[in-house]
Amino acid sequence: MQRFCTLAFVLGLILMVFGLTYLLPVLTAFFYHDGMAHYFLDGMSINIGAGTLLAGSTLRWRGELKNRDGYLLVAFFWGLMASAATLPLMWGIPNLSFTDAFFETMSGFTTTGATVLVGLDHLAPSLNLWRHELNWIGGLGIIVLAVAVLPLLGVGGMQLYKAEIAGPVKDSKITPRITETARLLWLVYAGITLLCILCLKLAGMSWFDAVCHAFATLALGGFSTHDASVGYFDSVAIELVLTIFMLISAINFATHYTVLFRRSLKPYSTDPETMPMLGLIAASILVCTGYLDYFDVYDDFFIGLRHVTFNLVSIATDCGFVSVDYDQWPPFVPWWMLYLSCVTASTGSTGGGIKLFRALLLWKQAGREMFTILHPHAIHPIRIGDTPVANKIIFAVLAFIFLYFISVVVMTFSLIFAGLDPVSALSAIIACINNAGPGLHQVGPATNFSNLSDFQTWICAIAMLLGRLEVFTLLMLCTPSFWKN
């Protein structure tokens, strides 16, 4: 009883804080006179009221969270926040079901960028901004924000941080105090967002589009204010700005902080993921552009280079912006882009997927196994950079990747069982579990997820959450041992 009351108290506090995020779309609604202000005010009142009631009724049971409580709270939090965020969408968009609204908000929070909405060009500005604000909040993780705030209210945050920032290096911290770490990460995140807004404005976007697309870019969320996504602008300058900031967002934000703190670019070259990520993307761009040129997809090599660069970077970094219908390209290129979405983003970035750190570890482990076969008595430790990696981390990575691929297989067959064609099903699950956005065929860049049945939509929403929480956090709740005292 004590355990669940403590969880309820924390959820109540988070609901109260989340209610304040409605202020930005309220101000936007008043500025544009789009008639949506009362919907957001009602949503704010419900969130703050429910949070106050929940926190107030469980105040005497507040206490420190245990590790397993952090994982439980994170799972509850994402489901609760995505549900609460549906209210303005359901009230403001006629005939929008809860299933579709939940998919949209879950896509926003998990920075997936997949959408079921059509007519985005004519959507009320405040509703469009709300979608992008959900992207931005989910980018670095609203849980990290809670880590910085909750200790001030008497609730420790380390358990939340470990559950949210799942990964092989989640115990490393910029500063000794986790709350200070969270604040610094948000400061860097907000500062780069502001810089992106200014650059997009200078590149030709309106202030509104610049704010929305900057929110989606830093979060690698991929939402757009237009049905045609970035293709609507047909601007090389805008695509260049977005490409640069997508690459920035795919790099560990702790590395960005170190660069700013030391006033040196050297940490980028010493980071074990940054240079391999940039090298992988650069090589992929050249190969894919040459492949399209060989098949005469575009009349000019540099036109192909432009479109491949933007769309490949977007999908590889798990952002999800599109400028052309790459589903019409020879199959090798879009499938290679989807593969890159699995492995390209760095640990500590706003991207999803397996993460490059795990892929590098798996590659080195495969090499070590072959070396051991030839030299069975040799000692051959695995190193990432100059740092030796403990075997327990390697075992954890192997377990993660196994569960990741099993999850892809199970959910893909679930979609096929429900009537979706295999290519659409597989690409949809890969795009959702990697939080990458569009897939291929029925869920490709020229369409969206609105054609899916309710059952298929829920499967994809679960895939988003599973990917955002990096598999272990959610699957752990399904094990009997988790619920034993």
Side-chain angles (χ1 to χ4, degrees), residues 21-91:
T21 63
Y22 285 71
L23 285 173
L24 185 58
V26 166
L27 295 175
T28 304
F30 281 129
F31 182 81
Y32 286 99
H33 305 287
D34 62 12
M36 298 293 163
H38 62 290
Y39 294 142
F40 286 102
L41 289 171
D42 289 345
M44 179 190 297
S45 301
I46 291 173
N47 275 271
I48 294 178
T52 302
L53 181 63
L54 192 59
S57 61
T58 55
L59 178 61
R60 58 176 177 164
W61 284 289
R62 70 175 185 172
E64 185 65 25
L65 295 171
K66 298 179 180 178
N67 282 332
R68 66 174 60 192
D69 297 335
Y71 292 105
L72 188 61
L73 182 59
V74 166
F76 281 169
F77 161 79
W78 282 97
L80 181 62
M81 293 301 99
S83 299
T86 62
L87 295 176
L89 294 179
M90 288 193 297
W91 291 335

Side-chain angles (χ1 to χ4, degrees), residues 9 44 79-80 86 93 147 168-169 174 193 215 256 280 341 349 381 413 469:
F9 173 73
M44 179 190 297
L80 181 62
T86 62
I93 302 176
V147 168
V169 292
I174 300 171
T193 302
F215 280 0
H256 291 319
L280 176 61
S341 74
S349 72
F413 275 102
L469 301 184

Side-chain angles (χ1 to χ4, degrees), residues 161 165 167-175 178 181 185 252 254 347:
Y161 180 81
I165 310 299
V169 292
K170 65 183 178 184
D171 289 322
S172 64
K173 299 188 283 288
I174 300 171
T175 65
I178 188 62
T181 297
L185 289 175
N252 192 327
T347 303

Side-chain angles (χ1 to χ4, degrees), residues 71-211:
Y71 292 105
L72 188 61
L73 182 59
V74 166
F76 281 169
F77 161 79
W78 282 97
L80 181 62
M81 293 301 99
S83 299
T86 62
L87 295 176
L89 294 179
M90 288 193 297
W91 291 335
I93 302 176
N95 303 317
L96 185 68
S97 68
F98 174 75
T99 295
D100 286 345
F102 183 84
F103 179 94
E104 194 75 14
T105 55
M106 181 61 76
S107 179
F109 268 126
T110 57
T111 71
T112 302
T115 183
V116 294
L117 300 182
V118 293
L120 296 176
D121 302 76
H122 308 292
L123 191 64
S126 57
L127 292 177
N128 242 329
L129 184 68
W130 179 236
R131 298 167 62 247
H132 291 81
E133 186 182 3
L134 295 180
N135 258 179
W136 194 78
I137 292 171
L140 194 55
I142 198 171
I143 297 295
V144 178
L145 178 62
V147 168
V149 174
L150 293 181
L152 303 178
L153 303 174
V155 179
M158 178 61 79
Q159 293 80 8
L160 293 179
Y161 180 81
K162 286 185 177 181
E164 167 66 7
I165 310 299
V169 292
K170 65 183 178 184
D171 289 322
S172 64
K173 299 188 283 288
I174 300 171
T175 65
R177 292 182 59 85
I178 188 62
T179 53
E180 186 64 18
T181 297
R183 292 189 186 100
L184 289 173
L185 289 175
W186 270 97
L187 184 62
V188 172
Y189 187 63
I192 300 176
T193 302
L194 180 59
L195 180 61
C196 185
I197 292 172
L198 295 175
C199 290
L200 288 174
K201 175 59 180 174
L202 291 175
M205 279 191 181
S206 66
W207 280 113
F208 180 79
D209 280 337
V211 169

Side-chain angles (χ1 to χ4, degrees), residues 12 36 48 86 108 133 138 157 191 203 238 252 256 264 285 292 314 326 383 390 431 442 444 460 472 475 478:
M36 298 293 163
I48 294 178
T86 62
E133 186 182 3
I238 288 174
N252 192 327
H256 291 319
S264 169
I285 289 172
L292 294 188
S314 177
Y326 56 76
R383 294 177 179 271
Q442 294 188 47
C460 290
F472 273 119
L475 293 184
C478 302

